[in-house]
Amino acid sequence: MRLAFRLFALFAILSLLAGSACRNAPKTIGEVVAIPVSAIPSDPGDAIWDHAPEYAAAMLLQDVVDPRLTKASTSEVRVRAITNGTIIGFRLQWLDPRKDDTPGPGLAVDSCAVQLPKAVAKDLPSPQMGEANRPVEVTLWRADWQAWASGRGGNIRDLYPNAAVDHYPFQAPPLETGSAGQKEMSTRYMPAQALGNQRNGPRESPVEDLVAEGPGTLKPEARSGSSGKGVWTKDGWMVVINRKLPASLGSGMRTQVAFAVWEGSHGEIGSRKMRTGWVSLLRRAEP
Amino acid sequence: MARVYNWQIGRQMSYWYPEARPKKQFAAVFDINKCIACQTCTLACKTTWTSGQGQEYMLWNNVETKPYGSYPLAWDLKLLESLGGQSWRENRYEGQTIFEAAPAGERVLGWKPTSDDYAYPNNGEDDCTGQVDKGAGFSIPHMNWFFYLARICNHCTYPACLAGCPRGSIYKRPDDGIVLLDQGRCRGYQECLRACPYKKSFFNPMVGTGEKCIACFPKIEQGLQPQCFLNCIGKIRLTGFISEPAKASADNPIDYLVHIRKVALPLFPQFGLEPNIYYIPPLHASLPFLNQMFGPGVEAARKTYRSASKDSDLAGLLCLFGSTESIVHRWRREGETVTGMDEKNSTLVRVPLTEPVYIRAAYDPKFQIVRTNCP
């Protein structure tokens, strides 16, 4: 009787494992594989992602450049990749029990990024933001940008619903609500936005294209066009980042990719982050 | 780290970048004894620079009440506690600066304030329990004194915000030493909030960048004093430019007060930033408390200040505070008149050392009326 029960249990476990393996795409061991698809979805929950193999990237502390992260947080980011020959899409997934998408003093927001060497070559720049004359391209996604892209309003009470504000000078008569004069006056108090440095505030895209030639050199890339979308559930974040495929990455060729995750509730921001080293990225040839 | 000389602590110290002093260094003297905490300076700054969305709790200028007031909350106490022993041997600081005490992985020893820390500006700070007739209902270390501390960015010679920013978004202008935050380059990492021991860098959540006092540089460039100086009702402030000690000039008002008479002292010099706002310490506050706040020169400074009524030069220079909107580069006293001059030695203002006093009889026989005299 006991033997029969054991056999039954073993059979049940094996059946579950087999079923699970059928439902999920096979895992790859050593590299990210971008599979060819006809269209790139923006939804992280799109079924097409199930066809891409998943790579589990172990995260490392950014403990090379000051200021450093000294206490580890996110241990792993699970990555899938697809490409239509023009765009390459990455879906990053990591555990995060708390959604951090409100900016403020002392607050950090959940974020992630994908980094590629600007040139597809065997001789790679440093995975730590590249090197002088050997740039890397970065596409950054932020949870607060996602909130704005998803419709968060542009007033302080959209950020802090309980904010108590007496008065802003640009809301006083004779300036009319929504007038050009009112907008001009309110912008005087926002020099960063006047300079085109749109770090926060209403925006259409939750991602930003950047280029860097070493730590501290990050700057917006003139030619951008990436897109993305992040969805948070109690299991954490699932974020899609779609960006242009490196021009010289032909079908069946390899380059390298790196990932970074910032855990907002852990105070991670800027160089205080969990990151990977370079990971091999294969553009799988079409069948 | 580079080795640099910090005259305020009387020794060399470690700093993130090599010593690079500006051609001129913006500086100021605040006479704390004259401050009444009317907050006119705060409002002058607020209405000029920080009235936008996301700047609601941003006070580039604030006035707090010591020993218990602080904005943001416990800005000084938190750092003093983590910095450890801060002993002086005469005019040489024997402890560690916040650059030298930086933990592994950090550029500066600091801490990052949160929204809650900005939520209590000036609440209940003025309670002076010593005036309660039947005694206070509780006991605290400093029962019978307080003073007001007006604060702006110190435009330090060795700014911690600049050292802390990993992007180099903060810079010190070579022409006047004003420390500015590049709004086109900042990415809102808030490292300057963490690093500045005086907590005079702020974060604007609507814009997503750090923002800080700019010393009203558009006015400085025109030879004018900043808004918080111009609007000071108590006339406690004087803008100018400070020299290094060896190059101090007696006709430079800031040099005279800081280097020559040593009546004005830096705020928490032991932090190591060589801050450039200097304070004439309050006469009626605890000496050990003031020594911790302004260094070992407090007793001598107070003695000098007390002698001002018999010291025509010192009293004369103090009369120039709040006497003109322009920056006084040079000054001189001739008899009963004190003159302030601009950079080209042109006269800006003349002030009598003693204001003439007219006593009007209460009863006017000509019009046969009684007038009320107002001081």
Side-chain angles (χ1 to χ4, degrees):
Chain A
M1 185 65 186
R2 185 178 289 174
L3 181 63
F5 176 76
R6 282 182 178 173
L7 283 171
F8 173 77
L10 183 62
F11 176 76
I13 290 167
L14 287 173
S15 300
L16 278 172
L17 287 173
S20 171
C22 289
R23 281 197 301 274
N24 293 331
K27 288 195 175 186
T28 54
I29 302 298
E31 63 183 350
V32 177
V33 176
I35 62 166
V37 294
S38 56
I40 304 285
S42 59
D43 182 4
D46 194 288
I48 202 166
W49 292 105
D50 293 339
H51 299 288
E54 185 174 88
Y55 174 75
M59 308 297 286
L60 308 165
L61 286 160
Q62 192 298 101
D63 57 359
V64 180
V65 179
D66 290 340
R68 309 173 190 200
L69 188 66
T70 52
K71 192 176 173 188
S73 57
T74 309
S75 60
E76 179 185 87
V77 60
R78 292 169 8 238
V79 184
R80 298 181 191 223
I82 55 178
T83 180
N84 64 357
T86 308
I87 304 291
I88 184 165
F90 296 93
R91 191 184 77 178
L92 279 61
Q93 222 177 326
W94 70 95
L95 299 175
D96 185 354
R98 198 179 94 178
K99 180 160 100 171
D100 299 290
D101 66 351
T102 303
L107 298 177
V109 294
D110 297 328
S111 314
C112 67
V114 173
Q115 174 186 281
L116 293 159
K118 196 170 182 74
V120 176
K122 286 184 179 175
D123 186 19
L124 290 166
S126 164
Q128 288 281 109
M129 313 300 291
E131 297 166 43
N133 301 315
R134 303 173 76 199
V136 293
E137 293 180 337
V138 176
T139 306
L140 170 70
W141 170 93
R142 280 178 28 178
D144 57 335
W145 293 352
Q146 183 65 62
W148 264 300
S150 302
R152 175 189 276 168
N155 290 313
I156 193 74
R157 288 192 188 87
D158 296 312
L159 269 185
Y160 306 110
N162 298 321
V165 178
D166 297 327
H167 166 73
Y168 297 107
F170 44 83
Q171 290 176 346
L175 290 171
E176 293 177 7
T177 304
S179 65
Q182 186 186 60
K183 189 177 178 187
E184 189 275 330
M185 189 175 178
S186 68
T187 313
R188 286 184 211 165
Y189 297 103
M190 298 181 163
Q193 286 193 3
L195 287 166
N197 188 17
Q198 181 83 21
R199 307 315 312 155
N200 277 5
R203 54 188 296 138
E204 293 178 358
S205 172
V207 301
E208 180 182 40
D209 283 313
L210 301 149
V211 64
E213 294 188 36
T217 66
L218 202 62
K219 61 181 180 184
E221 193 171 30
R223 189 183 60 176
S224 60
S226 296
S227 61
K229 185 179 179 183
V231 174
W232 182 86
T233 65
K234 62 181 176 53
D235 294 327
W237 281 104
M238 198 165 9
V239 177
V240 164
I241 292 175
N242 295 330
R243 50 158 295 136
K244 70 177 187 296
L245 185 73
S248 50
L249 186 65
S251 183
M253 289 178 64
R254 283 186 169 84
T255 184
Q256 302 285 321
V257 63
F259 307 97
V261 169
W262 291 262
E263 167 58 81
S265 56
H266 198 237
E268 291 168 19
I269 190 168
S271 60
R272 301 173 197 269
K273 65 187 176 187
M274 296 297 291
R275 48 99 191 182
T276 71
W278 287 121
V279 175
S280 175
L281 167 63
L282 168 67
R283 179 184 171 189
R284 182 181 284 174
E286 298 199 20
Chain B
M1 284 230 193
R3 295 293 290 171
V4 298
Y5 185 72
N6 181 332
W7 65 263
Q8 293 179 355
I9 60 172
R11 67 171 173 85
Q12 285 203 316
M13 64 168 202
S14 297
Y15 184 64
W16 199 258
Y17 299 104
E19 187 169 341
R21 291 180 183 270
K23 291 175 203 160
K24 287 191 302 183
Q25 175 59 59
F26 165 82
V29 171
F30 289 9
D31 183 353
I32 289 180
N33 295 283
K34 289 158 63 177
C35 180
I36 58 170
C38 63
Q39 305 285 358
T40 313
C41 50
T42 307
L43 286 176
C45 176
K46 190 92 188 124
T47 52
T48 307
W49 300 114
T50 61
S51 289
Q53 288 203 68
Q55 298 177 314
E56 293 80 4
Y57 281 86
M58 195 181 291
L59 299 174
W60 292 356
N61 179 107
N62 77 295
V63 185
E64 57 200 44
T65 310
K66 289 298 173 194
Y68 296 112
S70 53
Y71 182 84
L73 203 63
W75 64 269
D76 42 2
L77 300 180
K78 283 186 182 174
L79 189 62
L80 288 166
E81 197 166 86
S82 61
L83 186 57
Q86 298 146 45
S87 59
W88 293 78
R89 181 175 295 174
E90 295 183 350
N91 291 321
R92 182 186 166 89
Y93 176 54
E94 302 276 286
Q96 286 188 307
T97 67
I98 62 169
F99 306 110
E100 294 160 343
E106 298 288 343
R107 290 175 162 225
V108 178
L109 174 69
W111 64 279
K112 196 193 279 189
T114 66
S115 295
D116 281 353
D117 296 318
Y118 295 102
Y120 311 101
N122 303 109
N123 278 357
E125 291 183 359
D126 290 358
D127 299 339
C128 185
T129 55
Q131 297 300 315
V132 179
D133 290 341
K134 294 181 181 176
F138 56 95
S139 178
I140 48 178
H142 308 298
M143 294 290 281
N144 301 325
W145 57 269
F146 66 79
F147 62 89
Y148 300 119
L149 185 70
R151 301 200 301 120
I152 63 171
C153 168
N154 284 288
H155 297 279
C156 306
T157 305
Y158 303 111
C161 58
L162 189 154
C165 178
R167 287 184 53 72
S169 300
I170 297 177
Y171 61 102
K172 190 168 175 64
R173 302 210 306 184
D175 287 342
D176 52 22
I178 290 173
V179 177
L180 295 179
L181 200 161
D182 185 340
Q183 291 296 313
R185 184 165 175 76
C186 175
R187 292 185 63 83
Y189 296 162
Q190 302 186 30
E191 294 293 344
C192 52
L193 273 74
R194 183 194 299 270
C196 174
Y198 307 105
K199 297 298 170 242
K200 280 298 176 187
S201 269
F202 299 87
F203 179 72
N204 184 331
M206 291 299 293
V207 176
T209 58
E211 295 177 351
K212 67 177 288 297
C213 161
I214 59 173
C216 292
F217 71 83
K219 294 191 73 182
I220 296 283
E221 289 169 1
Q222 297 176 59
L224 301 174
Q225 301 198 63
Q227 291 291 78
C228 55
F229 290 67
L230 173 66
N231 288 278
C232 176
I233 287 174
K235 301 186 176 184
I236 79 157
R237 303 179 179 212
L238 187 72
T239 314
F241 296 93
I242 192 167
S243 312
E244 289 176 70
K247 299 173 186 170
S249 173
D251 65 353
N252 174 330
I254 305 293
D255 281 0
Y256 185 79
L257 294 170
V258 174
H259 291 315
I260 295 171
R261 304 306 302 273
K262 301 185 193 306
V263 73
L265 306 167
L267 181 62
F268 290 119
Q270 66 268 40
F271 291 163
L273 285 72
E274 215 183 283
N276 287 302
I277 306 298
Y278 296 85
Y279 293 88
I280 298 177
L283 295 178
H284 303 294
S286 154
L287 184 61
F289 184 90
L290 295 178
N291 279 144
Q292 183 182 44
M293 181 169 272
F294 299 115
V298 172
E299 196 165 9
R302 293 205 301 194
K303 189 177 176 187
T304 304
Y305 187 70
R306 278 198 174 98
S307 73
S309 61
K310 299 168 191 163
D311 183 333
S312 298
D313 282 335
L314 181 57
L317 179 51
L318 293 173
C319 287
L320 280 179
F321 281 51
S323 63
T324 169
E325 184 176 6
S326 299
I327 298 173
V328 176
H329 288 260
R330 293 185 186 82
W331 73 288
R332 67 168 179 267
R333 181 187 65 84
E334 291 168 313
E336 286 292 299
T337 302
V338 186
T339 306
M341 293 159 284
D342 66 12
E343 207 162 9
K344 295 174 182 169
N345 270 341
S346 300
T347 298
L348 290 167
V349 63
R350 284 197 179 89
V351 179
L353 192 58
T354 308
E355 290 282 352
V357 176
Y358 301 97
I359 298 176
R360 186 172 59 186
Y363 180 71
D364 185 336
K366 184 179 175 185
F367 295 101
Q368 297 183 352
I369 57 168
V370 175
R371 292 197 179 98
T372 304
N373 280 310
C374 296

